[in-house]
Amino acid sequence: MLTREENDLITRTGPGTSMGILMRRYWIPALFSDQLPSPDCPPVRVKLLGEKLVAFRTTDGNVGLVDERCPHRNASMFFGRNEENGLRCVYHGWKFDLEGQCTDMPSEPAESNFKRKVKIDAYPCVERGGMVWAYMGPPHLKPGFPAIEWTEVPASHRHATRHIQECNWFQGFEGGFDASHLTFLHRGDIIAGNALLPKYYQPVPTDFGMLFGSGRESGGPLPTWTVEAMLMPFHKLIALQANRPRGAHIWVPMDDESCMIYSIEYRVERPLSVADIDRSIAWKYIHAENLPGSERCVSNKDNNYRIDRERQKSGASYTGFTGFGIQDCGIQESMGPISDRTREHLGTSDIHLIQLRRYMLRAMKTMEAGDDLPGSDPDSYKVRSSILKLPPGRAFDEAIAPLVRAEVAPAALA
Ligand code: FES
Ligand SMILES: [Fe+2]
């Protein structure tokens, strides 16, 4: 449970909010690179942290991200002409470059130098891992790009989808580290009782974010741990399942009541197979079923996520929702647009979430004190989620960070 103030702190990300200022200190995925397939192609609307923006690819092939509102009289730059290394508003022809500088103002007298004084808000972008990432914070505090493993593998080795979840980003994010929901929401139809519930929960703060250890008795002298990494400020690395590609998620706030969820699968050592990609899409039942021309899922709150009460009753499905993605999306949206955490009753199995919230609240304090933020060092992101055997207690806390770092072998990266 949180106080009303704490709940506001972790959920609000608009300009001027604490979490919003914190998030703007990191690189934020804005869209897929292939949504801007060629120089001077049509611009794309992007909503990030409550800001309405427009992305465009210039004649030179670079990506710009500007305020959707023209600084002249607020017309939408989405309808603009993308030409000769700039985006031109079609209302009165003002044109802006990648840095937001007005470079042409044909509606003013030729001798006027007014255009030099006008800028549109613009954010620097880089392209990594098939995505455009924006930095929306103060220029002098811009960090190096985080060395997240999946962003460094060749395009053939990764596959990503995205979909909109219609609730606050933190519901999705903390759901990603909720180890006990797997046994029910996703696997209740095949797991008898609570046999696979973790016996130990060990959340460990690190210099890049957190590690969440969930330990289960597995017959031997040591428990088997699933250790999942949270990378600041909204990434998760999924622990590898045998023979499967590795996975990652990102929960990017669009505004306080919706977020864009990216799901990435990748292999370090070889390209993904067609079967890998097919299974990934089928398993999530999301990307293949987005509404036409939309990133909203076909199964959504307007149709109760197409719940199948027969399958729920018969036990063929625990939830009646088809697919992990819809199960998360449906149940997390059902908590409300912004879940009211003042009325929760948290138990032992919620320890990860309690510590995740504390960590994020602490990170805001660190930022306000002007100290270095977690993840300031791009190399601190060189970790993998893992499954391993360790004794519980302090031994786990002390051993785990070096172990997840050691899992990343730089030589294996292209
Ligand atoms: S509103 Fe954009 S040029 Fe006038
Ligand atoms: Fe889930």
Side-chain angles (χ1 to χ4, degrees):
M1 162 179 155
L2 293 178
T3 65
R4 171 103 26 226
E5 293 70 33
E6 289 169 333
N7 201 37
D8 283 348
L9 278 171
I10 59 171
T11 55
R12 307 280 179 185
T13 63
T17 60
S18 285
M19 184 62 87
I21 298 170
L22 177 65
M23 248 182 214
R24 283 166 174 78
R25 295 276 303 273
Y26 295 88
W27 287 97
I28 302 174
L31 71 169
F32 290 126
S33 285
D34 63 11
Q35 291 179 266
L36 297 170
S38 56
D40 294 334
C41 63
V44 173
R45 284 198 182 96
V46 172
K47 198 165 189 196
L48 291 179
L49 281 53
E51 297 187 41
K52 288 182 171 178
L53 306 166
V54 172
F56 65 104
R57 191 180 293 281
T58 66
T59 314
D60 290 342
N62 299 311
V63 176
L65 185 66
V66 297
D67 190 355
E68 182 171 355
R69 290 162 307 174
C70 174
H72 180 211
R73 279 169 44 208
N74 299 329
S76 173
M77 298 298 293
F78 171 72
F79 299 108
R81 300 176 60 88
N82 184 12
E83 55 191 18
E84 290 159 16
N85 285 318
L87 192 58
R88 188 187 293 279
C89 177
V90 292
Y91 203 177
H92 312 93
W94 292 20
K95 182 178 172 184
F96 303 90
D97 69 12
L98 206 66
E99 272 99 45
Q101 183 59 51
C102 184
T103 57
D104 194 18
M105 203 178 260
S107 60
E108 290 295 298
E111 63 277 13
S112 161
N113 74 348
F114 186 33
K115 73 176 181 197
R116 290 208 195 93
K117 299 183 186 144
V118 176
K119 287 194 96 167
I120 191 169
D121 287 343
Y123 297 122
C125 295
V126 296
E127 292 183 80
R128 295 278 193 292
M131 292 182 194
V132 175
W133 304 66
Y135 176 71
M136 301 168 72
H140 66 287
L141 294 174
K142 188 166 80 180
F145 192 82
I148 303 171
E149 186 173 53
W150 66 260
T151 67
E152 299 182 353
V153 301
S156 55
H157 291 41
R158 58 178 147 73
H159 176 255
T161 61
R162 68 177 203 170
H163 66 278
I164 294 171
Q165 187 162 307
E166 294 169 293
C167 68
N168 184 261
W169 79 282
F170 205 82
Q171 266 146 261
F173 185 54
E174 67 182 354
F177 300 99
D178 174 350
S180 63
H181 87 286
L182 288 175
T183 315
F184 303 96
L185 186 75
H186 299 312
R187 312 288 297 276
D189 45 334
I190 49 173
I191 295 171
N194 58 8
L196 281 187
L197 271 183
K199 181 170 176 194
Y200 309 102
Y201 295 92
Q202 283 194 231
V204 182
T206 69
D207 60 341
F208 55 80
M210 291 190 77
L211 293 168
F212 294 99
S214 305
R216 294 170 174 88
E217 296 294 1
S218 51
L222 295 175
T224 299
W225 296 86
T226 303
V227 181
E228 300 202 291
M230 183 279 280
L231 313 177
M232 282 294 281
F234 39 40
H235 300 271
K236 175 187 178 182
L237 303 180
I238 300 168
L240 179 67
Q241 296 174 35
N243 303 320
R244 294 279 182 87
R246 294 179 178 279
H249 289 303
I250 320 173
W251 290 267
V252 183
M254 299 174 71
D255 55 32
D256 290 344
E257 299 189 357
S258 62
C259 62
M260 186 66 83
I261 303 181
Y262 292 83
S263 302
I264 300 103
E265 300 215 299
Y266 71 106
R267 291 188 185 275
V268 173
E269 55 305 321
R270 63 178 168 85
L272 293 182
S273 65
V274 173
D276 285 337
I277 294 171
D278 285 352
R279 189 188 48 232
S280 147
I281 292 171
W283 172 71
K284 290 185 204 117
Y285 284 92
I286 272 186
H287 191 67
E289 286 195 294
N290 275 359
L291 287 164
S294 163
E295 286 167 312
R296 194 173 185 231
C297 306
V298 171
S299 300
N300 58 53
K301 62 183 170 195
D302 296 339
N303 54 26
N304 288 322
Y305 311 94
R306 302 196 289 185
I307 188 169
D308 184 333
R309 294 288 189 184
E310 290 296 317
R311 296 189 72 225
Q312 189 188 44
K313 188 97 179 161
S314 72
S317 160
Y318 189 75
T319 57
F321 299 147
T322 303
F324 276 34
I326 291 299
Q327 289 158 6
D328 282 320
C329 194
I331 215 64
Q332 289 164 4
E333 288 181 4
S334 80
M335 298 156 82
I338 301 180
S339 181
D340 178 0
R341 293 178 179 78
T342 66
R343 60 187 299 286
E344 295 175 332
H345 297 82
L346 301 181
T348 312
S349 65
D350 297 305
I351 287 171
H352 284 342
L353 313 192
I354 294 167
Q355 294 302 324
L356 174 63
R357 296 168 184 185
R358 287 204 184 140
Y359 186 89
M360 299 306 275
L361 289 166
R362 226 169 28 241
M364 284 181 251
K365 289 229 160 68
T366 302
M367 176 192 68
E368 277 152 21
D371 295 334
D372 279 353
L373 295 180
S376 309
D377 175 5
D379 282 343
S380 68
Y381 285 78
K382 286 186 180 171
V383 295
R384 281 179 182 165
S385 291
S386 309
I387 295 177
L388 39 76
K389 289 181 185 283
L390 274 178
R394 285 215 20 213
F396 177 90
D397 288 354
E398 283 162 12
I400 194 61
L403 285 175
V404 297
R405 276 190 225 293
E407 288 252 334
V408 181
L413 291 175

